[in-house]
Amino acid sequence: MSGKATLSVNGQTIELDTVVGSEGEVGIITKPLRGATKAISLDPGFVNTGSCTSDITYIDGENGVLRYRGYAIDELATKSSFLEVCYLLLEGKLPSASEFSDYKEQITRHTLLHEDLKKMFDAFPANAHPMAVCSSVVCALSTYYQNNLDPLNPEHVDLSAKRLVAKLPTIAAFSYKKSRGQALIYPDNELDYAGNLLKMMFAYRTEKYELDEDVAKLVDTLLILHADHEQNCSATTVRVVGSAHANLFASISAGICALWGPRHGGANQSVLEMLQVIADDGADVDKYVALAQDRDSGFRLMGFGHRVYKNYDPRARILGEMVEKVLTKLDINDPLLNIARKLEAHALSDSYFVDRKLYPNVDFYSGIIYRALGIPTNMFTVMFALGRLPGWIAQWKEQLAHGLPIGRPRQIYTGENLRPYVPMSER
Ligand code: SDX
């Protein structure tokens, strides 16, 4: 569906076409704007600017709705598996039993890294952040598949996508093992996706690994909850890098770097660090809720607020319910959870947060669950990247399928006007 918008600027009035999405959202197509009026739209941070139309993920921020390809996140979290959600995001439909069996078989066949690539892990210091290791090794994968990198060749893209889905858990686990000075554990193709990741991270060569199926299911659900989120910062990064026709490995490597930022996926690590600071300071929740309201304090409640959700992030709601079950099952009494609950209760009743519609987001509880599962804090954002990978690939493929132009925004120049060069002797 489409419609019209009228805009007056510079003494001119023009009509612009609009596009109406399948959920009734309206986008004003501003492409003719500059040619017709010499004016451009200006929206730092793209707060009110859409970069594309998309069939992949729908978010209704006002009502806390999230759907992948039309399926509600809470249904997928309880009824699907991460590998099935990968198929759904990448192929646009849920697989039949034979399609899923074939897909799973193909992914299993690509879990190993080239033996020479292992040497790359030796080049990093033990305390290297695993996001730096993962983005480096993912980009390096492109050097091992130089004959299959053409972003406009569907077979190359399909193979690269399967290689990434299969190998990122191996890369993540290898980066963790290296950071611990432990021997690498190779993929076990008998295990499902999350179980294989857990075994590669926590098994030892010297003993049989007993996989806790409940824990594996929890990790699988966490990956589903993170699988896509429309045009977030890292997905936009992947799209823009891909719009230059950079290969998929390079584009995903860039997405990992964007996700690393504490305003984005790095927030799950920052939430745990924040909760620990509050715990170390006598669990004085009121003090930190007040600090978060003082812009000069530089302190923010990590895990709170969202560009799109002006209601409770549905993923945070699911995680908030999961966290109790996880800690009870593992018989853990985590004092940081008590602080998190108090923080949430206080913030949800405080006018500063209520007025700004600042609710807990996906990062608020995820870190407490990862910690309960024995995953170290600096691996939290890697877990986010593992979940987000199929979404990034789906977004990258869609922008190429739509034949979008290279992502190159304009600006409004506010610097010096023309001035002559002054020789140094005269300055
Ligand atoms: C993710 O985009 C996505 O979809 C991301 C994500 C995904 O799945 O990909 O959902 C994952 O990144 C979740 C967000 C994780 N980040 C954090 O938890 C970091 C803390 N949150 C903030 O930095 C902030 O809320 C953002 C970055 C998430 C959103 O920032 P916006 O939309 O640009 O909002 P803003 O910074 O303009 O804030 C609006 C107001 C400001 O106050 P005023 O200028 O009106 O006085 O709200 C305040 C901000 O100071 N504010 C906060 C706050 N977040 C916003 N104040 C205190 N604590 C906070 N956390």
Side-chain angles (χ1 to χ4, degrees), residues 174-222:
F174 280 14
S175 69
Y176 172 65
K177 281 300 201 188
K178 287 300 285 184
S179 75
R180 306 287 300 235
Q182 294 172 6
L184 302 181
I185 298 295
Y186 275 49
D188 178 344
N189 290 346
E190 294 304 310
L191 296 175
D192 284 344
Y193 201 86
N196 182 37
L197 170 67
L198 288 167
K199 181 175 180 183
M200 289 191 287
M201 285 183 70
F202 297 120
Y204 297 95
R205 290 189 189 176
T206 48
E207 54 197 50
K208 187 173 173 355
Y209 179 71
E210 294 296 331
L211 176 68
D212 182 328
E213 294 293 347
D214 292 340
V215 170
K217 174 61 184 151
L218 283 171
V219 169
D220 196 79
T221 302
L222 282 159

Short mmCIF file of all heavy atoms in Angstrom, two decimals, residues 174-222:
data_model
loop_
_atom_site.label_atom_id
_atom_site.label_comp_id
_atom_site.label_asym_id
_atom_site.label_seq_id
_atom_site.Cartn_x
_atom_site.Cartn_y
_atom_site.Cartn_z
N PHE A 174 36.85 -21.74 21.13
CA PHE A 174 38.32 -21.73 21.05
C PHE A 174 38.87 -20.47 21.72
O PHE A 174 39.88 -20.53 22.44
CB PHE A 174 38.79 -21.79 19.59
CG PHE A 174 38.77 -23.18 18.98
CD1 PHE A 174 38.09 -24.23 19.58
CD2 PHE A 174 39.44 -23.42 17.80
CE1 PHE A 174 38.06 -25.50 19.01
CE2 PHE A 174 39.43 -24.70 17.20
CZ PHE A 174 38.74 -25.73 17.82
N SER A 175 38.22 -19.32 21.53
CA SER A 175 38.74 -18.08 22.14
C SER A 175 38.64 -18.19 23.66
O SER A 175 39.53 -17.75 24.39
CB SER A 175 37.94 -16.86 21.64
OG SER A 175 36.62 -16.86 22.14
N TYR A 176 37.57 -18.85 24.14
CA TYR A 176 37.42 -19.02 25.60
C TYR A 176 38.50 -19.95 26.14
O TYR A 176 39.18 -19.64 27.12
CB TYR A 176 36.04 -19.58 25.91
CG TYR A 176 35.85 -19.97 27.35
CD1 TYR A 176 35.87 -19.01 28.36
CD2 TYR A 176 35.69 -21.31 27.72
CE1 TYR A 176 35.74 -19.37 29.70
CE2 TYR A 176 35.55 -21.67 29.05
CZ TYR A 176 35.57 -20.70 30.03
OH TYR A 176 35.43 -21.06 31.36
N LYS A 177 38.70 -21.09 25.46
CA LYS A 177 39.70 -22.06 25.94
C LYS A 177 41.10 -21.43 25.96
O LYS A 177 41.86 -21.61 26.91
CB LYS A 177 39.68 -23.31 25.05
CG LYS A 177 38.54 -24.27 25.34
CD LYS A 177 38.56 -24.79 26.77
CE LYS A 177 37.80 -26.07 26.98
NZ LYS A 177 37.69 -26.42 28.40
N LYS A 178 41.43 -20.70 24.90
CA LYS A 178 42.76 -20.07 24.84
C LYS A 178 42.92 -19.09 26.00
O LYS A 178 43.97 -18.99 26.60
CB LYS A 178 42.93 -19.32 23.51
CG LYS A 178 43.14 -20.19 22.31
CD LYS A 178 44.37 -21.07 22.43
CE LYS A 178 45.67 -20.31 22.23
NZ LYS A 178 46.85 -21.20 22.26
N SER A 179 41.84 -18.35 26.33
CA SER A 179 41.93 -17.36 27.41
C SER A 179 42.16 -18.05 28.75
O SER A 179 42.70 -17.45 29.68
CB SER A 179 40.65 -16.53 27.48
OG SER A 179 39.60 -17.30 28.06
N ARG A 180 41.78 -19.35 28.84
CA ARG A 180 41.95 -20.09 30.09
C ARG A 180 43.23 -20.93 30.08
O ARG A 180 43.52 -21.63 31.03
CB ARG A 180 40.75 -21.02 30.31
CG ARG A 180 39.40 -20.39 30.26
CD ARG A 180 39.17 -19.56 31.51
NE ARG A 180 39.26 -20.42 32.68
CZ ARG A 180 38.32 -20.54 33.59
NH1 ARG A 180 37.24 -19.81 33.47
NH2 ARG A 180 38.45 -21.31 34.63
N GLY A 181 43.94 -20.88 28.94
CA GLY A 181 45.16 -21.70 28.84
C GLY A 181 44.86 -23.18 28.78
O GLY A 181 45.70 -24.01 29.13
N GLN A 182 43.65 -23.51 28.32
CA GLN A 182 43.26 -24.92 28.26
C GLN A 182 43.30 -25.43 26.82
O GLN A 182 43.17 -24.67 25.87
CB GLN A 182 41.83 -25.09 28.82
CG GLN A 182 41.72 -24.76 30.29
CD GLN A 182 40.27 -24.75 30.77
OE1 GLN A 182 39.35 -25.09 29.99
NE2 GLN A 182 40.05 -24.33 32.01
N ALA A 183 43.45 -26.74 26.69
CA ALA A 183 43.49 -27.37 25.37
C ALA A 183 42.15 -27.18 24.66
O ALA A 183 41.08 -27.22 25.29
CB ALA A 183 43.78 -28.86 25.52
N LEU A 184 42.22 -26.95 23.37
CA LEU A 184 40.99 -26.76 22.58
C LEU A 184 40.19 -28.06 22.55
O LEU A 184 40.76 -29.14 22.51
CB LEU A 184 41.35 -26.34 21.15
CG LEU A 184 42.18 -25.06 21.01
CD1 LEU A 184 42.42 -24.76 19.53
CD2 LEU A 184 41.52 -23.88 21.71
N ILE A 185 38.87 -27.92 22.62
CA ILE A 185 37.99 -29.08 22.49
C ILE A 185 37.30 -28.96 21.13
O ILE A 185 36.65 -27.94 20.84
CB ILE A 185 36.94 -29.11 23.62
CG1 ILE A 185 37.64 -29.24 24.98
CG2 ILE A 185 35.93 -30.24 23.40
CD1 ILE A 185 38.39 -30.55 25.19
N TYR A 186 37.44 -29.97 20.32
CA TYR A 186 36.88 -29.92 18.98
C TYR A 186 35.36 -30.11 19.00
O TYR A 186 34.81 -30.66 19.97
CB TYR A 186 37.54 -30.99 18.10
CG TYR A 186 38.85 -30.54 17.48
CD1 TYR A 186 39.83 -29.94 18.26
CD2 TYR A 186 39.10 -30.68 16.12
CE1 TYR A 186 41.04 -29.52 17.70
CE2 TYR A 186 40.29 -30.26 15.55
CZ TYR A 186 41.25 -29.68 16.34
OH TYR A 186 42.43 -29.26 15.77
N PRO A 187 34.69 -29.67 17.94
CA PRO A 187 33.23 -29.88 17.86
C PRO A 187 32.88 -31.37 17.96
O PRO A 187 33.63 -32.23 17.50
CB PRO A 187 32.86 -29.34 16.48
CG PRO A 187 34.00 -28.44 16.08
CD PRO A 187 35.22 -28.98 16.76
N ASP A 188 31.71 -31.63 18.55
CA ASP A 188 31.20 -33.01 18.63
C ASP A 188 29.93 -33.06 17.79
O ASP A 188 28.90 -32.52 18.19
CB ASP A 188 30.89 -33.35 20.10
CG ASP A 188 30.30 -34.76 20.25
OD1 ASP A 188 29.85 -35.33 19.22
OD2 ASP A 188 30.28 -35.27 21.38
N ASN A 189 30.04 -33.65 16.63
CA ASN A 189 28.91 -33.59 15.68
C ASN A 189 27.72 -34.45 16.11
O ASN A 189 26.70 -34.45 15.45
CB ASN A 189 29.38 -33.98 14.28
CG ASN A 189 30.29 -32.90 13.68
OD1 ASN A 189 30.34 -31.78 14.21
ND2 ASN A 189 31.00 -33.23 12.62
N GLU A 190 27.86 -35.15 17.22
CA GLU A 190 26.71 -35.91 17.74
C GLU A 190 25.77 -34.99 18.53
O GLU A 190 24.62 -35.34 18.80
CB GLU A 190 27.21 -37.03 18.68
CG GLU A 190 28.03 -38.13 17.96
CD GLU A 190 27.23 -38.77 16.81
OE1 GLU A 190 26.08 -39.16 17.05
OE2 GLU A 190 27.76 -38.80 15.68
N LEU A 191 26.28 -33.83 18.95
CA LEU A 191 25.49 -32.96 19.83
C LEU A 191 24.72 -31.90 19.06
O LEU A 191 25.11 -31.52 17.95
CB LEU A 191 26.43 -32.26 20.84
CG LEU A 191 27.16 -33.17 21.83
CD1 LEU A 191 28.14 -32.35 22.67
CD2 LEU A 191 26.16 -33.91 22.71
N ASP A 192 23.65 -31.40 19.64
CA ASP A 192 22.92 -30.28 19.05
C ASP A 192 23.73 -29.00 19.23
O ASP A 192 24.74 -29.00 19.94
CB ASP A 192 21.55 -30.13 19.74
CG ASP A 192 20.58 -31.21 19.25
OD1 ASP A 192 20.89 -31.84 18.19
OD2 ASP A 192 19.56 -31.46 19.91
N TYR A 193 23.23 -27.92 18.63
CA TYR A 193 23.98 -26.67 18.53
C TYR A 193 24.47 -26.16 19.89
O TYR A 193 25.67 -25.96 20.10
CB TYR A 193 23.08 -25.61 17.87
CG TYR A 193 23.82 -24.46 17.26
CD1 TYR A 193 24.32 -24.53 15.96
CD2 TYR A 193 24.04 -23.28 17.95
CE1 TYR A 193 24.99 -23.48 15.37
CE2 TYR A 193 24.72 -22.22 17.39
CZ TYR A 193 25.19 -22.32 16.09
OH TYR A 193 25.88 -21.27 15.53
N ALA A 194 23.55 -26.00 20.83
CA ALA A 194 23.93 -25.43 22.13
C ALA A 194 24.78 -26.41 22.93
O ALA A 194 25.74 -26.02 23.58
CB ALA A 194 22.68 -25.04 22.91
N GLY A 195 24.44 -27.69 22.85
CA GLY A 195 25.21 -28.70 23.58
C GLY A 195 26.63 -28.76 23.08
O GLY A 195 27.59 -28.85 23.87
N ASN A 196 26.81 -28.64 21.77
CA ASN A 196 28.17 -28.65 21.18
C ASN A 196 28.96 -27.45 21.67
O ASN A 196 30.12 -27.56 22.04
CB ASN A 196 28.03 -28.64 19.65
CG ASN A 196 29.36 -28.71 18.94
OD1 ASN A 196 30.28 -29.40 19.40
ND2 ASN A 196 29.50 -27.97 17.87
N LEU A 197 28.31 -26.29 21.74
CA LEU A 197 28.98 -25.07 22.22
C LEU A 197 29.41 -25.27 23.68
O LEU A 197 30.57 -25.00 24.04
CB LEU A 197 28.03 -23.87 22.12
CG LEU A 197 28.49 -22.58 22.79
CD1 LEU A 197 29.72 -22.00 22.08
CD2 LEU A 197 27.36 -21.55 22.82
N LEU A 198 28.51 -25.76 24.51
CA LEU A 198 28.84 -25.97 25.93
C LEU A 198 29.98 -26.96 26.09
O LEU A 198 30.90 -26.74 26.89
CB LEU A 198 27.59 -26.44 26.68
CG LEU A 198 26.52 -25.39 26.89
CD1 LEU A 198 25.21 -26.04 27.36
CD2 LEU A 198 26.97 -24.32 27.89
N LYS A 199 29.95 -28.04 25.32
CA LYS A 199 31.02 -29.03 25.44
C LYS A 199 32.36 -28.43 25.01
O LYS A 199 33.38 -28.60 25.71
CB LYS A 199 30.71 -30.26 24.59
CG LYS A 199 31.80 -31.32 24.71
CD LYS A 199 31.48 -32.60 23.97
CE LYS A 199 32.62 -33.61 24.15
NZ LYS A 199 32.37 -34.87 23.37
N MET A 200 32.38 -27.70 23.90
CA MET A 200 33.65 -27.09 23.45
C MET A 200 34.18 -26.08 24.45
O MET A 200 35.39 -25.88 24.57
CB MET A 200 33.45 -26.42 22.09
CG MET A 200 33.25 -27.38 20.93
SD MET A 200 33.35 -26.53 19.32
CE MET A 200 31.79 -25.65 19.31
N MET A 201 33.26 -25.46 25.22
CA MET A 201 33.71 -24.47 26.21
C MET A 201 34.14 -25.13 27.52
O MET A 201 35.16 -24.77 28.12
CB MET A 201 32.58 -23.47 26.50
CG MET A 201 32.36 -22.44 25.43
SD MET A 201 31.08 -21.22 25.86
CE MET A 201 31.91 -20.29 27.16
N PHE A 202 33.38 -26.13 27.98
CA PHE A 202 33.57 -26.59 29.36
C PHE A 202 34.09 -28.01 29.50
O PHE A 202 34.32 -28.49 30.61
CB PHE A 202 32.24 -26.43 30.11
CG PHE A 202 31.77 -25.01 30.22
CD1 PHE A 202 30.56 -24.61 29.67
CD2 PHE A 202 32.58 -24.03 30.79
CE1 PHE A 202 30.12 -23.30 29.75
CE2 PHE A 202 32.16 -22.70 30.86
CZ PHE A 202 30.93 -22.33 30.34
N ALA A 203 34.29 -28.72 28.40
CA ALA A 203 34.83 -30.09 28.52
C ALA A 203 36.34 -30.04 28.66
O ALA A 203 36.98 -29.04 28.35
CB ALA A 203 34.45 -30.91 27.30
N TYR A 204 36.91 -31.12 29.16
CA TYR A 204 38.37 -31.28 29.26
C TYR A 204 38.73 -32.57 28.52
O TYR A 204 37.96 -33.53 28.51
CB TYR A 204 38.83 -31.39 30.72
CG TYR A 204 38.54 -30.14 31.53
CD1 TYR A 204 37.38 -30.04 32.30
CD2 TYR A 204 39.40 -29.05 31.49
CE1 TYR A 204 37.10 -28.90 33.02
CE2 TYR A 204 39.13 -27.89 32.22
CZ TYR A 204 37.97 -27.83 32.97
OH TYR A 204 37.69 -26.68 33.68
N ARG A 205 39.93 -32.57 27.93
CA ARG A 205 40.35 -33.76 27.18
C ARG A 205 40.56 -34.97 28.09
O ARG A 205 40.60 -36.09 27.66
CB ARG A 205 41.66 -33.46 26.44
CG ARG A 205 41.48 -32.49 25.30
CD ARG A 205 42.74 -32.40 24.47
NE ARG A 205 42.66 -31.31 23.49
CZ ARG A 205 43.67 -30.97 22.69
NH1 ARG A 205 44.83 -31.62 22.79
NH2 ARG A 205 43.55 -29.99 21.83
N THR A 206 40.67 -34.66 29.40
CA THR A 206 41.05 -35.73 30.34
C THR A 206 39.86 -36.46 30.93
O THR A 206 40.03 -37.39 31.71
CB THR A 206 41.85 -35.10 31.50
OG1 THR A 206 41.12 -33.94 31.96
CG2 THR A 206 43.24 -34.66 31.01
N GLU A 207 38.66 -35.98 30.64
CA GLU A 207 37.50 -36.68 31.26
C GLU A 207 36.28 -36.60 30.36
O GLU A 207 36.18 -35.73 29.49
CB GLU A 207 37.21 -36.07 32.64
CG GLU A 207 36.99 -34.58 32.63
CD GLU A 207 37.12 -34.00 34.04
OE1 GLU A 207 38.12 -34.29 34.72
OE2 GLU A 207 36.20 -33.26 34.43
N LYS A 208 35.35 -37.51 30.59
CA LYS A 208 34.09 -37.53 29.83
C LYS A 208 33.27 -36.31 30.21
O LYS A 208 33.24 -35.92 31.39
CB LYS A 208 33.33 -38.83 30.15
CG LYS A 208 32.07 -39.08 29.31
CD LYS A 208 31.49 -40.46 29.59
CE LYS A 208 30.13 -40.78 28.94
NZ LYS A 208 29.44 -39.76 28.23
N TYR A 209 32.65 -35.68 29.25
CA TYR A 209 31.83 -34.49 29.54
C TYR A 209 30.36 -34.89 29.67
O TYR A 209 29.82 -35.52 28.76
CB TYR A 209 31.99 -33.46 28.42
CG TYR A 209 31.15 -32.21 28.64
CD1 TYR A 209 31.48 -31.29 29.63
CD2 TYR A 209 30.02 -31.95 27.87
CE1 TYR A 209 30.73 -30.14 29.84
CE2 TYR A 209 29.26 -30.81 28.08
CZ TYR A 209 29.61 -29.91 29.06
OH TYR A 209 28.86 -28.80 29.26
N GLU A 210 29.80 -34.58 30.80
CA GLU A 210 28.38 -34.86 31.01
C GLU A 210 27.56 -33.61 30.67
O GLU A 210 27.58 -32.63 31.42
CB GLU A 210 28.13 -35.24 32.49
CG GLU A 210 28.78 -36.56 32.92
CD GLU A 210 28.21 -37.76 32.17
OE1 GLU A 210 27.02 -37.70 31.77
OE2 GLU A 210 28.98 -38.72 31.94
N LEU A 211 26.91 -33.62 29.53
CA LEU A 211 26.12 -32.45 29.14
C LEU A 211 24.82 -32.39 29.93
O LEU A 211 24.09 -33.40 30.01
CB LEU A 211 25.82 -32.50 27.63
CG LEU A 211 24.90 -31.38 27.09
CD1 LEU A 211 25.60 -30.03 27.17
CD2 LEU A 211 24.48 -31.67 25.64
N ASP A 212 24.55 -31.24 30.53
CA ASP A 212 23.26 -31.03 31.22
C ASP A 212 22.26 -30.55 30.16
O ASP A 212 22.34 -29.40 29.70
CB ASP A 212 23.43 -29.98 32.34
CG ASP A 212 22.14 -29.77 33.12
OD1 ASP A 212 21.05 -29.89 32.50
OD2 ASP A 212 22.22 -29.47 34.32
N GLU A 213 21.35 -31.43 29.78
CA GLU A 213 20.41 -31.12 28.68
C GLU A 213 19.54 -29.90 29.01
O GLU A 213 19.18 -29.11 28.13
CB GLU A 213 19.50 -32.33 28.40
CG GLU A 213 20.22 -33.55 27.83
CD GLU A 213 20.78 -33.31 26.42
OE1 GLU A 213 20.39 -32.28 25.80
OE2 GLU A 213 21.63 -34.11 25.96
N ASP A 214 19.23 -29.72 30.31
CA ASP A 214 18.42 -28.55 30.69
C ASP A 214 19.20 -27.26 30.43
O ASP A 214 18.66 -26.27 29.95
CB ASP A 214 18.02 -28.63 32.18
CG ASP A 214 17.04 -29.76 32.44
OD1 ASP A 214 16.39 -30.21 31.46
OD2 ASP A 214 16.94 -30.20 33.60
N VAL A 215 20.50 -27.30 30.76
CA VAL A 215 21.34 -26.11 30.54
C VAL A 215 21.46 -25.85 29.04
O VAL A 215 21.37 -24.71 28.58
CB VAL A 215 22.72 -26.29 31.19
CG1 VAL A 215 23.68 -25.19 30.77
CG2 VAL A 215 22.60 -26.33 32.72
N ALA A 216 21.62 -26.93 28.28
CA ALA A 216 21.73 -26.77 26.82
C ALA A 216 20.45 -26.14 26.26
O ALA A 216 20.50 -25.25 25.41
CB ALA A 216 21.99 -28.12 26.16
N LYS A 217 19.31 -26.55 26.80
CA LYS A 217 18.03 -25.99 26.33
C LYS A 217 17.94 -24.51 26.68
O LYS A 217 17.48 -23.68 25.90
CB LYS A 217 16.86 -26.77 26.96
CG LYS A 217 15.47 -26.21 26.67
CD LYS A 217 15.14 -26.20 25.18
CE LYS A 217 13.79 -25.55 24.91
NZ LYS A 217 13.74 -24.92 23.56
N LEU A 218 18.43 -24.16 27.89
CA LEU A 218 18.42 -22.74 28.31
C LEU A 218 19.29 -21.91 27.36
O LEU A 218 18.89 -20.84 26.92
CB LEU A 218 18.98 -22.62 29.72
CG LEU A 218 18.07 -23.02 30.87
CD1 LEU A 218 18.85 -23.05 32.17
CD2 LEU A 218 16.89 -22.06 30.95
N VAL A 219 20.48 -22.42 27.03
CA VAL A 219 21.38 -21.68 26.12
C VAL A 219 20.72 -21.56 24.75
O VAL A 219 20.74 -20.50 24.13
CB VAL A 219 22.74 -22.38 26.02
CG1 VAL A 219 23.59 -21.80 24.89
CG2 VAL A 219 23.50 -22.27 27.35
N ASP A 220 20.06 -22.63 24.31
CA ASP A 220 19.39 -22.60 23.01
C ASP A 220 18.30 -21.52 23.00
O ASP A 220 18.18 -20.74 22.05
CB ASP A 220 18.76 -23.97 22.74
CG ASP A 220 18.38 -24.17 21.27
OD1 ASP A 220 19.27 -24.45 20.46
OD2 ASP A 220 17.20 -23.96 20.94
N THR A 221 17.58 -21.42 24.10
CA THR A 221 16.52 -20.39 24.20
C THR A 221 17.13 -18.99 24.21
O THR A 221 16.63 -18.07 23.56
CB THR A 221 15.70 -20.60 25.49
OG1 THR A 221 15.14 -21.92 25.45
CG2 THR A 221 14.57 -19.58 25.61
N LEU A 222 18.23 -18.83 24.93
CA LEU A 222 18.91 -17.52 24.96
C LEU A 222 19.34 -17.13 23.55
O LEU A 222 19.20 -15.97 23.14
CB LEU A 222 20.13 -17.59 25.88
CG LEU A 222 19.85 -17.51 27.37
CD1 LEU A 222 21.01 -18.09 28.18
CD2 LEU A 222 19.59 -16.06 27.77
#
